Amino acid sequence: MITIGLLHSTIRGDEKLIIEAAKKRGTQIKLIDVREEIFNRKTYRCDFDVALERCVSTVKGMHATYFYESLNIPVINNSSVTSICEDKFVTSLILQKAHVSTPDFAMVFNADQAQQAIKQLGGFPVVIKPPLGSWGRLLAKINDIDALETILEHKDVLGSPHQKSFYLQKYIKKPGRDIRSFVIDSITICAIYRDSPHWITNTARGGVATNCPVTKELSSLSKKASDAVGGGVLSMDVFETEDGLQINEINHTTEFKNSERPTGVSISGAIVDYCIKVAKNL
Amino acid sequence: MLKTNCPICDAQVTLPKNTEESEIISCPECHTRLVVANLKGTFATLEEAPKVEEDWGE
């Protein structure tokens, strides 16, 4: 019997759904709280076939992934995919290089360069994001030079080193919603709209999830983005623009508990099935 | 069903059968985010859940 090592640092509703889906398939799940482990290659005894990385902490998840890969245990998602998707700037670089439609962006390290970059992006408004981060935290829509100077000064004085790398993205006017598509093993299995009157539409920030039909365009773009970063279990945040769909960000430990009901698709089941597939291909 | 108490307001908290260690729950009375710190048989303890950190997310 295949055993999936579920790497976590808290058990959320998403992980509960994965545990339930594994039970239904007669697949064993071993819960591994990475905060309790000692990652020493010389002493560690591994008793599972494949690891599913679901840590809420990106940094701990990344280190755990490197560790298990060093023991030749396949990890979903692998370290290459994770290292791309955890950083918004790296993700954007990979997408643009692979000709996947994505908003224009730039990275700068000080205010003078920020002003020049914003001109290159077509002017205000722009969005500034920490390269590492999630759930819409510390995103700022910058409408003018005054706001730019204020935000950058605050980041410079108060921020950690990550906050002092300024990722700037062209502001995309959205129709009160964006799309999240779920892509597993290069197949777009379902998608949701995230409706919100606020320009930040994350469900973690109150966005409401409803089913979004997987059109040919959405399926094709999502697959292309997934393939560009290396595939696995991913979700895409997609903007609807006048020029068609654009990939905004890619999530490598995607949350989905609010998406199974509106879509009617067992995302947790698809994740477990993919883990089993990877384990069997050893 | 397991019964235990909220470490913040002491309200009784009922945990369903399929509760897992490290699971995040909310206190039904004070709504504090709690984590199931220990779960051994019919014994469970709760702690206040850690605050969101800079690298948390998906």
Side-chain angles (χ1 to χ4, degrees):
Chain A
M1 181 195 281
I2 286 169
T3 302
I4 299 170
L6 195 158
L7 315 179
H8 71 90
S9 47
T10 55
I11 299 289
R12 298 163 290 181
D14 312 273
E15 284 72 46
K16 297 274 285 190
L17 288 168
I18 290 169
I19 293 165
E20 284 302 311
K23 272 185 193 163
K24 278 184 192 165
R25 286 158 174 75
T27 300
Q28 206 162 329
I29 287 263
K30 184 178 182 197
L31 298 178
I32 300 162
D33 186 337
V34 298
R35 299 168 303 173
E36 308 289 327
E37 298 297 296
I38 298 170
F39 292 128
N40 180 345
R41 285 190 81 251
K42 291 184 176 172
T43 56
Y44 201 90
R45 295 288 170 265
C46 209
D47 54 359
F48 51 89
D49 306 292
V50 59
L52 176 62
E53 196 273 287
R54 295 286 315 170
C55 297
V56 73
S57 159
T58 304
V59 173
K60 290 182 178 74
M62 187 78 248
H63 285 126
T65 299
Y66 282 129
F67 177 76
Y68 289 109
E69 285 183 345
S70 82
L71 298 176
N72 297 318
I73 297 289
V75 183
I76 298 163
N77 290 305
N78 67 44
S79 56
S80 170
V81 173
T82 299
S83 64
I84 294 168
C85 296
E86 72 172 10
D87 188 307
K88 293 173 177 50
F89 181 58
V90 178
T91 303
S92 297
L93 290 173
I94 297 286
L95 291 176
Q96 199 174 70
K97 191 176 174 190
H99 306 290
V100 178
S101 183
T102 191
D104 289 341
F105 67 97
M107 167 75 84
V108 296
F109 302 121
N110 64 51
D112 288 342
Q113 273 66 32
Q115 286 190 45
Q116 291 178 49
I118 289 166
K119 279 182 193 160
Q120 292 173 8
L121 294 173
F124 294 104
V126 293
V127 176
I128 187 166
K129 305 177 181 184
L132 273 70
S134 198
W135 300 337
R137 284 194 311 275
L138 296 174
L139 264 62
K141 181 182 166 208
I142 300 180
N143 294 326
D144 56 34
I145 186 72
D146 292 342
L148 176 70
E149 287 173 353
T150 305
I151 292 274
L152 296 193
E153 186 183 2
H154 277 73
K155 281 180 173 288
D156 211 32
V157 173
L158 302 174
S160 67
H162 284 309
Q163 300 296 337
K164 293 175 186 175
S165 292
F166 309 130
Y167 172 94
L168 300 162
Q169 188 184 58
K170 184 182 176 73
Y171 175 71
I172 304 294
K173 199 168 179 345
K174 295 181 282 186
R177 69 184 187 193
D178 69 2
I179 295 171
R180 169 162 292 188
S181 63
F182 295 89
V183 188
I184 298 178
D185 201 11
S186 282
I187 297 166
T188 309
I189 61 167
C190 61
I192 56 164
Y193 288 118
R194 301 187 300 181
D195 289 88
S196 172
H198 196 278
W199 67 275
I200 300 174
T201 46
N202 298 53
T203 51
R205 298 280 291 263
V208 177
T210 55
N211 184 52
C212 168
V214 178
T215 60
K216 200 173 171 184
E217 183 189 8
L218 179 60
S219 175
S220 166
L221 180 70
S222 301
K223 177 183 169 20
K224 201 172 167 186
S226 172
D227 292 348
V229 299
V233 174
L234 300 166
S235 68
M236 313 291 161
D237 293 347
V238 184
F239 289 154
E240 298 163 278
T241 77
E242 289 173 355
D243 303 320
L245 299 178
Q246 293 191 330
I247 300 285
N248 176 32
E249 294 174 6
I250 303 180
N251 304 287
H252 66 283
T253 51
T254 185
E255 292 170 336
F256 55 85
K257 64 178 180 292
N258 297 323
S259 303
E260 291 202 340
R261 187 168 295 172
T263 61
V265 173
S266 173
I267 300 165
S268 52
I271 292 172
V272 171
D273 289 341
Y274 180 65
C275 291
I276 295 168
K277 181 182 169 184
V278 170
K280 283 185 175 170
N281 282 345
L282 283 176
Chain B
M1 296 281 197
L2 279 176
K3 289 191 191 318
T4 183
N5 292 84
C6 172
I8 308 299
C9 72
D10 205 35
Q12 193 171 73
V13 180
T14 304
L15 303 176
K17 262 186 183 173
N18 64 347
T19 300
E20 303 283 355
E21 232 171 47
S22 301
E23 186 170 341
I24 300 287
I25 61 165
S26 285
C27 172
E29 292 202 10
C30 70
H31 305 293
T32 302
R33 285 176 81 247
L34 303 170
V35 63
V36 181
N38 288 292
L39 190 60
K40 298 265 179 337
T42 56
F43 176 77
T45 56
L46 304 174
E47 292 176 0
E48 192 174 3
K51 299 280 182 276
V52 173
E53 294 184 31
E54 189 179 336
D55 73 326
W56 282 27
E58 51 177 334

Short mmCIF file of all heavy atoms in Angstrom, two decimals, chain B residues 5-31:
data_model
loop_
_atom_site.label_atom_id
_atom_site.label_comp_id
_atom_site.label_asym_id
_atom_site.label_seq_id
_atom_site.Cartn_x
_atom_site.Cartn_y
_atom_site.Cartn_z
N ASN B 5 -11.32 22.57 27.00
CA ASN B 5 -11.65 23.96 27.31
C ASN B 5 -10.77 24.93 26.55
O ASN B 5 -9.60 24.66 26.28
CB ASN B 5 -11.51 24.22 28.82
CG ASN B 5 -12.58 23.48 29.59
OD1 ASN B 5 -12.42 22.31 29.90
ND2 ASN B 5 -13.69 24.14 29.84
N CYS B 6 -11.34 26.08 26.24
CA CYS B 6 -10.59 27.15 25.58
C CYS B 6 -9.58 27.73 26.57
O CYS B 6 -9.96 28.09 27.69
CB CYS B 6 -11.54 28.23 25.10
SG CYS B 6 -10.69 29.69 24.47
N PRO B 7 -8.29 27.84 26.17
CA PRO B 7 -7.29 28.38 27.10
C PRO B 7 -7.44 29.88 27.33
O PRO B 7 -6.84 30.43 28.24
CB PRO B 7 -5.96 28.07 26.39
CG PRO B 7 -6.32 27.99 24.95
CD PRO B 7 -7.72 27.47 24.88
N ILE B 8 -8.25 30.54 26.51
CA ILE B 8 -8.41 31.99 26.65
C ILE B 8 -9.61 32.33 27.54
O ILE B 8 -9.50 33.09 28.50
CB ILE B 8 -8.58 32.66 25.26
CG1 ILE B 8 -7.45 32.24 24.32
CG2 ILE B 8 -8.68 34.18 25.38
CD1 ILE B 8 -6.05 32.61 24.79
N CYS B 9 -10.80 31.74 27.21
CA CYS B 9 -12.02 32.14 27.95
C CYS B 9 -12.59 31.00 28.78
O CYS B 9 -13.61 31.18 29.44
CB CYS B 9 -13.07 32.66 26.97
SG CYS B 9 -13.79 31.37 25.96
N ASP B 10 -11.98 29.83 28.71
CA ASP B 10 -12.39 28.65 29.48
C ASP B 10 -13.73 28.07 29.03
O ASP B 10 -14.29 27.22 29.72
CB ASP B 10 -12.43 28.99 30.99
CG ASP B 10 -12.24 27.73 31.84
OD1 ASP B 10 -11.47 26.85 31.41
OD2 ASP B 10 -12.88 27.62 32.89
N ALA B 11 -14.24 28.50 27.91
CA ALA B 11 -15.49 27.92 27.41
C ALA B 11 -15.25 26.45 27.05
O ALA B 11 -14.14 26.05 26.69
CB ALA B 11 -15.95 28.67 26.17
N GLN B 12 -16.31 25.65 27.12
CA GLN B 12 -16.18 24.26 26.71
C GLN B 12 -16.14 24.18 25.18
O GLN B 12 -16.95 24.81 24.50
CB GLN B 12 -17.35 23.44 27.25
CG GLN B 12 -17.10 21.95 27.11
CD GLN B 12 -18.14 21.13 27.83
OE1 GLN B 12 -19.28 21.02 27.36
NE2 GLN B 12 -17.77 20.56 28.96
N VAL B 13 -15.17 23.43 24.68
CA VAL B 13 -15.02 23.28 23.23
C VAL B 13 -15.18 21.79 22.91
O VAL B 13 -14.51 20.95 23.52
CB VAL B 13 -13.63 23.77 22.74
CG1 VAL B 13 -13.50 23.60 21.24
CG2 VAL B 13 -13.41 25.22 23.14
N THR B 14 -16.05 21.48 21.98
CA THR B 14 -16.28 20.09 21.58
C THR B 14 -15.54 19.82 20.28
O THR B 14 -15.71 20.54 19.30
CB THR B 14 -17.79 19.82 21.39
OG1 THR B 14 -18.45 20.19 22.62
CG2 THR B 14 -18.06 18.37 21.10
N LEU B 15 -14.72 18.78 20.29
CA LEU B 15 -13.95 18.43 19.09
C LEU B 15 -14.58 17.21 18.43
O LEU B 15 -14.86 16.21 19.11
CB LEU B 15 -12.50 18.11 19.46
CG LEU B 15 -11.72 19.20 20.20
CD1 LEU B 15 -10.33 18.69 20.58
CD2 LEU B 15 -11.59 20.43 19.33
N PRO B 16 -14.82 17.25 17.11
CA PRO B 16 -15.36 16.08 16.44
C PRO B 16 -14.37 14.91 16.43
O PRO B 16 -13.17 15.09 16.67
CB PRO B 16 -15.65 16.59 15.02
CG PRO B 16 -14.99 17.89 14.90
CD PRO B 16 -14.64 18.40 16.25
N LYS B 17 -14.88 13.73 16.09
CA LYS B 17 -14.07 12.49 16.14
C LYS B 17 -12.83 12.55 15.26
O LYS B 17 -11.80 12.01 15.59
CB LYS B 17 -14.95 11.31 15.69
CG LYS B 17 -15.53 10.51 16.84
CD LYS B 17 -16.24 9.30 16.27
CE LYS B 17 -16.91 8.52 17.41
NZ LYS B 17 -17.74 7.44 16.89
N ASN B 18 -12.99 13.18 14.09
CA ASN B 18 -11.88 13.15 13.13
C ASN B 18 -10.89 14.31 13.33
O ASN B 18 -10.13 14.66 12.43
CB ASN B 18 -12.42 13.17 11.69
CG ASN B 18 -13.16 14.45 11.37
OD1 ASN B 18 -13.49 15.22 12.28
ND2 ASN B 18 -13.44 14.68 10.10
N THR B 19 -10.88 14.89 14.51
CA THR B 19 -9.94 15.99 14.80
C THR B 19 -8.50 15.47 14.75
O THR B 19 -8.22 14.35 15.16
CB THR B 19 -10.23 16.58 16.19
OG1 THR B 19 -11.57 17.06 16.20
CG2 THR B 19 -9.29 17.72 16.53
N GLU B 20 -7.60 16.30 14.23
CA GLU B 20 -6.19 15.94 14.13
C GLU B 20 -5.36 16.88 14.99
O GLU B 20 -5.73 18.04 15.18
CB GLU B 20 -5.69 16.06 12.68
CG GLU B 20 -6.46 15.25 11.66
CD GLU B 20 -6.11 13.76 11.68
OE1 GLU B 20 -5.18 13.39 12.44
OE2 GLU B 20 -6.77 13.01 10.97
N GLU B 21 -4.23 16.38 15.47
CA GLU B 21 -3.28 17.24 16.15
C GLU B 21 -2.82 18.33 15.19
O GLU B 21 -2.67 18.05 14.00
CB GLU B 21 -2.08 16.42 16.64
CG GLU B 21 -1.79 16.62 18.10
CD GLU B 21 -0.74 15.67 18.64
OE1 GLU B 21 0.31 15.53 17.98
OE2 GLU B 21 -0.98 15.09 19.69
N SER B 22 -2.59 19.52 15.68
CA SER B 22 -2.16 20.69 14.88
C SER B 22 -3.31 21.32 14.10
O SER B 22 -3.08 22.25 13.33
CB SER B 22 -1.02 20.36 13.90
OG SER B 22 0.09 19.88 14.59
N GLU B 23 -4.50 20.79 14.27
CA GLU B 23 -5.64 21.37 13.54
C GLU B 23 -6.02 22.72 14.15
O GLU B 23 -5.97 22.93 15.35
CB GLU B 23 -6.84 20.42 13.62
CG GLU B 23 -8.01 20.88 12.77
CD GLU B 23 -9.09 19.81 12.66
OE1 GLU B 23 -8.80 18.62 12.90
OE2 GLU B 23 -10.22 20.19 12.33
N ILE B 24 -6.39 23.64 13.25
CA ILE B 24 -6.80 24.97 13.68
C ILE B 24 -8.33 24.99 13.84
O ILE B 24 -9.05 24.56 12.95
CB ILE B 24 -6.39 26.04 12.63
CG1 ILE B 24 -4.88 26.06 12.44
CG2 ILE B 24 -6.92 27.42 13.00
CD1 ILE B 24 -4.09 26.67 13.54
N ILE B 25 -8.79 25.47 14.98
CA ILE B 25 -10.23 25.60 15.21
C ILE B 25 -10.50 26.99 15.81
O ILE B 25 -9.57 27.72 16.14
CB ILE B 25 -10.76 24.50 16.16
CG1 ILE B 25 -10.06 24.61 17.53
CG2 ILE B 25 -10.56 23.12 15.59
CD1 ILE B 25 -10.75 23.85 18.61
N SER B 26 -11.78 27.31 15.95
CA SER B 26 -12.14 28.57 16.60
C SER B 26 -12.94 28.28 17.86
O SER B 26 -13.78 27.37 17.87
CB SER B 26 -13.01 29.43 15.68
OG SER B 26 -12.24 29.99 14.68
N CYS B 27 -12.70 29.05 18.91
CA CYS B 27 -13.49 28.90 20.13
C CYS B 27 -14.92 29.36 19.83
O CYS B 27 -15.11 30.45 19.26
CB CYS B 27 -12.90 29.74 21.25
SG CYS B 27 -13.99 29.78 22.70
N PRO B 28 -15.93 28.56 20.18
CA PRO B 28 -17.32 28.96 19.85
C PRO B 28 -17.77 30.21 20.61
O PRO B 28 -18.74 30.85 20.21
CB PRO B 28 -18.14 27.73 20.27
CG PRO B 28 -17.29 27.00 21.25
CD PRO B 28 -15.87 27.28 20.88
N GLU B 29 -17.09 30.54 21.70
CA GLU B 29 -17.54 31.71 22.48
C GLU B 29 -16.71 32.96 22.22
O GLU B 29 -17.23 33.99 21.85
CB GLU B 29 -17.56 31.36 23.97
CG GLU B 29 -18.66 30.33 24.26
CD GLU B 29 -19.11 30.29 25.69
OE1 GLU B 29 -18.74 31.17 26.48
OE2 GLU B 29 -19.84 29.34 26.01
N CYS B 30 -15.38 32.86 22.41
CA CYS B 30 -14.56 34.09 22.25
C CYS B 30 -13.99 34.21 20.84
O CYS B 30 -13.38 35.22 20.50
CB CYS B 30 -13.45 34.14 23.30
SG CYS B 30 -12.14 32.93 23.04
N HIS B 31 -14.17 33.16 20.01
CA HIS B 31 -13.75 33.14 18.60
C HIS B 31 -12.24 33.25 18.41
O HIS B 31 -11.78 33.56 17.31
CB HIS B 31 -14.47 34.24 17.80
CG HIS B 31 -15.96 34.16 17.92
ND1 HIS B 31 -16.70 33.12 17.42
CD2 HIS B 31 -16.84 34.98 18.54
CE1 HIS B 31 -17.97 33.28 17.70
NE2 HIS B 31 -18.10 34.41 18.39
#
